[in-house]
């Protein structure tokens, strides 16, 4: 059994029910597993599995001595007090203010033992509250009478967190297991609400958890500060890195999707802060399957027999690391000696995988590889003047260098490289080309028809209310061996390079995105997100 605070506290109720003969050990274990799988409270899980009735649950809570229970008889609820709590919060927390007594508002809730929920309601009301248990069906009936049949849309604010997770201090026993369970639950929630990233920030108030959805921050929970470091370790572990790493990328299964995660941590005054960006992981593309024109594909395959610099541009989640590896594998199949730096997890037959040395700069690693006279070097993601200068030195010595950049597109990648390298003119002569990948999510084709698209998506089980399901690659190939290379020689900026590519008939990422919108496969907002990722 996990030792997360939620399960520890809930198991106190469960143990009481087992001791009273109302549950068997097997039934309790099944309810705890169901609770974790569905993100429910234990009481909700017990009722959903028909192991307890609402009346029996109320009796158990009373006998546990944690809460008082209240019967919502007609006339007991003061409508003026009840309406002080926004309808969205009343429905979210299954709670209703009943009346004001001795400077406190009595609030009937489904589970008043959820301290964080009680605090959120108290903040929203602006007054102290006395939380009591009531039958959730009766609570919803009161909400229905007060606010009508059509619930108002839920609002995200600092005072109304989107959802709640575990509460309490980090357990002494298996703290990393508890933190990993929490992070996994948060990532499932992130997928469900369409969040781009999940954050745990160590502050003076505690470990504050939040999501970022379309650039807007949505608070989720506040835990004790010791959770911050534990969540950082858990996130890094899920990404396949050690606990002392600062950044890592990896992938894991969430629901039915394979999701790529990018974990970044930073040490603050109160502890470590963690950001986990997540994207649906695209299936690896073979070079010949890139969604580009035949002329561009021919250029790309031609680079593999030449010497110089090839830059694969875009995020790992779009399949850029996989594409770079496929290009290296194609070169190895042609009999070229391939060295790969720090990419041992994705083996390429016939290539030499070189492990990174802890604390050693990438530039030094690349120069060491250069001493082996390789034909091809796959560098992985590069950043900074020293790394790019070392990569260009390899190209100058006669190697094909396949490097990775997270720039917006090929034009921005090369123009940013030229700004930092020692000899831009030589660099321009060595650049063979760029291939850029992005992943755009497709509109869900299973959403039921409705006048309002958002309403339709909210009812669709296939896309979990996001309106999006599946993804497609957007690709762009820029060949700098021909006329476009003149723009590099003249040290043009990214906008000039893009304009020259368009004039030469190259289909850009933006054009491919607009084409998807015209064909009704996705929407403009999703294309903008994909190109900005």
């Amino acid at each position: 059994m996990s030792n997360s605070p939620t399960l520890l506290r809930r198991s106190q109720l469960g143990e009481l029910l087992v001791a009273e003969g109302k549950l068997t050990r097997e039934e309790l274990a099944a309810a705890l597993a169901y609770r974790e799988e569905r993100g429910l409270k234990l009481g909700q899980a017990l009722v959903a599995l028909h192991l307890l009735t609402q009346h029996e649950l109320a009796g158990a809570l009373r006998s546990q001595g944690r809460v008082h229970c209240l019967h919502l008889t007609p006339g007991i609820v003061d409508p003026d007090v009840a309406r002080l709590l926004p309808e969205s919060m009343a429905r979210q927390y299954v709670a209703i203010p009943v009346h004001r007594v001795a400077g406190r508002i009595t609030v009937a809730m489904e589970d008043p033992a959820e301290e964080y929920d009680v605090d959120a309601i108290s903040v929203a009301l602006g007054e102290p509250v006395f939380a009591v248990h009531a039958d959730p069906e009766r609570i919803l009936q009161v909400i229905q009478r007060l606010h009508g049949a059509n619930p108002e849309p839920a609002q995200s604010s600092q005072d109304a967190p989107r959802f709640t997770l575990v509460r309490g201090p980090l357990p002494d026993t298996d703290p990393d297991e508890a933190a990993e369970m929490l992070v996994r639950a948060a990532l499932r929630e992130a997928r469900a609400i369409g969040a781009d990233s999940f954050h745990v920030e160590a502050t003076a108030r505690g470990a504050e958890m939040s999501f970022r959805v379309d650039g807007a921050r949505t608070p989720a929970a506040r835990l004790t500060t010791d959770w911050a470091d534990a969540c950082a370790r858990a996130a890094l572990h899920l990404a396949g890195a050690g606990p002392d790493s600062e950044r890592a990328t990896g992938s894991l299964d969430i629901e039915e999707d394979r999701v790529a995660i990018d974990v970044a941590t930073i040490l603050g005054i109160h502890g470590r802060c963690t950001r986990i960006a997540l994207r649906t992981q695209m299936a690896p593309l073979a070079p010949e399957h890139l969604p580009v024109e035949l002329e561009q594909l021919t250029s790309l395959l031609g680079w593999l027999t030449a010497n110089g610099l090839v830059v694969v541009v875009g995020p790992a989640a779009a399949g850029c690391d996989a594409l770079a590896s496929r290009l290296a594998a194609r070169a190895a199949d042609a009999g070229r000696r391939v060295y790969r730096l720090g990419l041992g997890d994705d083996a390429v037959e016939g290539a030499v995988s070189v492990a990174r040395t802890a604390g050693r700069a990438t530039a030094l690693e690349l120069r060491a590889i250069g001493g082996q006279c390789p034909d091809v070097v796959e560098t992985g993601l590069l950043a900074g003047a020293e790394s790019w200068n070392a990569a260009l030195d390899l190209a100058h010595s006669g190697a094909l260098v396949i490097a990775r950049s997270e720039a917006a597109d090929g034009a921005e990648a090369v123009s940013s490289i030229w700004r930092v390298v020692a000899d831009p003119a030589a660099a321009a002569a060595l650049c063979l080309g760029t291939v850029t990948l992005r992943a755009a999510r497709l509109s869900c084709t299973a959403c039921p028809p409705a006048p309002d698209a958002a309403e339709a998506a909210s009812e669709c089980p296939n896309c979990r209310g996001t309106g999006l399901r599946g993804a497609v690659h957007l690709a762009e190939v820029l060949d700098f061996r021909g006329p476009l290379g003149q723009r590099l020689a003249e040290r043009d900026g990214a906008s000039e390079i893009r304009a020259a590519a368009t004039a030469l008939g190259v289909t850009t990422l933006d054009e491919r995105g607009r084409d998807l919108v015209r064909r009704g496969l996705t929407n403009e907002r999703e294309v903008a997100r994909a190109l900005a990722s």
Side-chain angles (χ1 to χ4, degrees):
M1 182 183 296
S2 171
N3 290 295
S4 77
T6 295
L7 292 187
L8 282 173
R9 180 167 59 78
R10 293 299 183 202
S11 65
Q12 294 172 8
L13 172 60
E15 292 295 338
L16 176 65
L17 293 168
V18 170
E20 292 181 347
K22 293 184 173 66
L23 287 180
T24 66
R25 290 282 178 189
E26 292 73 18
E27 288 171 336
L28 174 59
L32 289 170
Y34 187 80
R35 182 211 69 82
E36 177 61 24
E37 177 187 349
R38 300 299 178 91
L40 303 174
K41 301 176 176 68
L42 179 58
Q44 292 173 321
L46 291 169
V47 173
L49 293 173
H50 304 291
L51 296 173
L52 285 183
T53 66
Q54 285 290 349
H55 180 72
E56 290 170 333
L57 176 61
L61 291 170
R62 268 198 311 271
S63 62
Q64 195 181 12
R66 294 189 303 164
V67 298
H68 296 273
C69 296
L70 178 69
H71 295 290
L72 292 177
T73 55
I76 194 173
V77 176
D78 182 338
D80 292 333
V81 174
R83 290 192 179 94
L84 294 175
L85 185 67
E87 179 192 354
S88 58
M89 288 192 69
R91 293 183 182 275
Q92 178 182 349
Y93 294 110
V94 191
I96 194 74
V98 178
H99 46 229
R100 185 184 285 107
V101 177
R104 290 196 301 177
I105 294 179
T106 299
V107 177
M109 302 177 61
E110 178 181 13
D111 188 358
E114 281 283 6
E115 295 91 349
Y116 190 81
D117 294 0
V118 175
D119 289 344
I121 291 171
S122 179
V123 169
L125 294 174
E127 299 182 42
V129 303
F130 176 62
V132 298
H133 170 77
D135 185 331
E137 291 186 7
R138 297 298 297 274
I139 293 174
L140 291 173
Q141 289 172 5
V142 174
I143 295 173
Q144 187 87 347
R145 288 200 303 271
L146 283 170
H147 299 288
N150 298 316
E152 66 182 34
Q155 299 295 318
S156 293
S157 71
Q158 297 286 345
D159 300 333
R162 171 62 178 77
F163 82 117
T164 57
L165 288 171
V166 303
R167 305 290 168 251
L170 186 70
D172 295 329
T173 306
D174 294 332
D176 289 338
E177 179 188 352
E180 184 167 321
M181 177 180 291
L182 184 152
V183 172
R184 283 184 178 274
L187 293 179
R188 286 196 298 271
E189 177 72 8
R191 290 287 293 159
I193 65 175
D196 300 315
S197 57
F198 169 66
H199 302 254
V200 182
E201 297 166 307
T203 73
R205 298 186 298 180
E208 299 192 357
M209 303 173 66
S210 62
F211 299 103
R212 195 162 292 276
V213 183
D214 294 329
R217 178 178 178 272
T218 301
R222 184 186 304 155
L223 313 176
T224 54
T225 306
D226 50 0
W227 280 95
D229 287 339
C231 286
R233 295 193 301 270
L236 290 166
H237 178 259
L238 290 174
D244 297 325
S245 303
E246 293 184 355
R247 186 160 186 170
T249 58
S251 60
L252 68 160
D253 293 318
I254 300 178
E255 304 293 346
E256 298 177 355
D257 295 324
R258 188 68 177 172
V259 176
I261 58 173
D262 178 15
V263 180
T265 68
I266 188 172
L267 183 61
I269 294 176
H270 300 284
R272 294 174 84 179
C273 299
T274 305
R275 184 269 294 151
I276 309 174
L278 60 167
R279 297 282 188 275
T280 300
Q281 192 167 29
M282 301 290 290
L285 274 180
E288 59 269 22
H289 295 155
L290 282 172
V292 296
E293 289 73 18
L294 179 60
E295 181 181 357
Q296 294 182 335
L297 178 58
T298 301
S299 297
L300 171 61
L301 297 177
W303 301 339
L304 301 181
T305 61
N307 301 325
L309 176 66
V310 173
V311 185
V312 181
V313 185
C320 291
D321 283 333
L323 177 60
S325 296
R326 293 291 181 95
L327 293 175
R330 186 64 61 86
D333 290 342
R336 306 191 77 180
R337 292 202 306 159
V338 177
Y339 279 69
R340 308 175 71 236
L341 176 59
L343 300 165
D345 291 340
D346 181 20
V348 169
E349 186 175 351
V352 177
S353 293
V354 180
R356 289 186 180 273
T357 303
R360 192 179 191 189
T362 299
L364 295 177
E365 302 275 16
L366 292 176
R367 291 193 173 97
I369 291 174
Q372 303 300 313
C373 299
D375 296 326
V376 180
V377 179
E378 184 188 352
T379 70
L381 183 65
L382 295 184
E386 289 298 320
S387 295
W388 283 111
N389 277 307
L392 287 166
D393 286 343
L394 283 169
H396 190 266
S397 68
L400 169 64
V401 178
I402 303 172
R404 279 260 292 107
S405 166
E406 290 188 336
D409 58 11
E412 182 180 300
V414 293
S415 62
S416 63
I417 294 169
W418 301 166
R419 287 196 296 269
V420 299
V421 297
D423 189 347
L430 290 168
C431 184
L432 299 173
T434 65
V435 52
T436 304
L437 280 185
R438 286 289 188 274
R441 295 175 294 185
L442 298 173
S443 298
C444 177
T445 58
C447 284
D452 177 43
E455 179 184 345
S458 68
E459 300 174 357
C460 178
N462 294 284
C463 65
R464 300 187 295 276
T466 64
L468 300 163
R469 183 168 177 82
V472 66
H473 281 108
L474 302 176
E476 172 194 272
V477 174
L478 299 182
D479 188 350
F480 291 106
R481 296 175 303 172
L484 197 56
Q486 184 62 32
R487 304 275 64 81
L488 298 186
E490 296 181 6
R491 301 183 65 179
D492 282 353
S495 58
E496 290 83 5
I497 294 173
R498 291 189 195 103
T502 300
L504 290 169
V506 175
T507 305
T508 63
L509 287 176
D510 186 60
E511 289 173 308
R512 295 190 191 281
R514 289 201 301 268
D515 181 61
L516 290 178
V517 175
R518 282 194 298 269
R519 291 157 58 192
L521 298 177
T522 189
N523 56 65
E524 293 181 356
R525 183 178 181 181
E526 172 56 20
V527 169
R529 182 208 62 79
L531 298 185
S533 60

